């Protein structure tokens, strides 16, 4: 695997409506997309800075992954996403290197990208997403 850049940083928020003005008014970014990812039980808002995006995640269901995260830890940084060429290949490479996977195969994330998660137990506490067009 060769990660090319940080694709995005995922941040769990209680409310997109409350968080978006901070990114727009204080940091001067522009929210260019809001998208619901039903399978993940989240609504996402995206901002772009160079090659990297900020992905705000609002839970749509207290039993979903972001709902549970906020319940346990409160809002804050949730995951780091690296861009790779081919997500399935990158997941296989990580597993070959002894990394525990959350996803054995890619699934569809926001913006139609393929995504797959590595387990934070194997990544020094950082929930890590691999993200790519293939
Ligand atoms: Zn993400």
């Amino acid at each position: 695997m060769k990660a090319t850049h940080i694709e995005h940083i995922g941040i769990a928020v209680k409310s997109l409506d409350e968080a978006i003005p901070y990114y727009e008014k204080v940091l001067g970014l522009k929210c260019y997309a809001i998208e619901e990812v039903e399978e993940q039980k989240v609504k996402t808002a995206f901002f772009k800075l160079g090659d990297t995006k900020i992905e705000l995640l609002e839970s749509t269901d207290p039993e979903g992954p972001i709902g549970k995260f906020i319940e346990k830890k409160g809002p804050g940084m949730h995951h780091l996403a690296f861009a790779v060429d081919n997500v399935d290949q990158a997941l296989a490479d990580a597993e070959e290197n002894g990394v525990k996977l959350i996803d054995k195969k890619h699934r569809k994330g926001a913006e139609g990208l393929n995504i797959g998660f590595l387990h934070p137990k194997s990544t020094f506490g950082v929930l890590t997403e691999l993200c790519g067009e293939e």
Side-chain angles (χ1 to χ4, degrees), residues 44-65:
T44 61
F46 283 98
F47 304 83
K48 213 169 178 21
L49 310 82
D51 281 343
T52 302
K53 298 163 197 159
I54 304 275
E55 175 187 48
L56 301 184
L57 302 148
E58 176 191 303
S59 177
T60 56
D61 179 344
E63 293 305 308

Side-chain angles (χ1 to χ4, degrees), residues 5-20:
H5 59 279
I6 293 178
E7 215 282 334
H8 64 268
I9 298 169
I11 298 172
V13 299
K14 283 197 175 146
S15 151
L16 290 183
D17 288 342
E18 285 175 18
I20 286 170

Side-chain angles (χ1 to χ4, degrees), residues 8 55 79 81 117 129:
H8 64 268
E55 175 187 48
H79 65 271
F117 281 92
E129 177 181 340

Side-chain angles (χ1 to χ4, degrees), residues 46-125:
F46 283 98
F47 304 83
K48 213 169 178 21
L49 310 82
D51 281 343
T52 302
K53 298 163 197 159
I54 304 275
E55 175 187 48
L56 301 184
L57 302 148
E58 176 191 303
S59 177
T60 56
D61 179 344
E63 293 305 308
I66 295 300
K68 283 188 186 156
F69 176 87
I70 288 179
E71 171 77 35
K72 246 169 67 183
K73 298 185 178 167
M77 256 205 68
H78 180 260
H79 65 271
L80 190 57
F82 293 96
V84 298
D85 287 338
N86 182 306
V87 174
D88 285 331
Q89 186 59 53
L91 289 169
D93 291 348
E95 190 170 41
E96 207 167 286
N97 281 295
V99 172
K100 197 173 162 206
L101 306 181
I102 292 175
D103 300 305
K104 293 258 179 198
K105 287 271 168 216
H106 78 267
R107 46 189 156 119
K108 281 286 171 199
E111 304 193 301
L113 290 173
N114 289 342
I115 63 166
F117 281 92
L118 309 181
H119 199 287
K121 278 198 176 133
S122 293
T123 58
F124 303 89

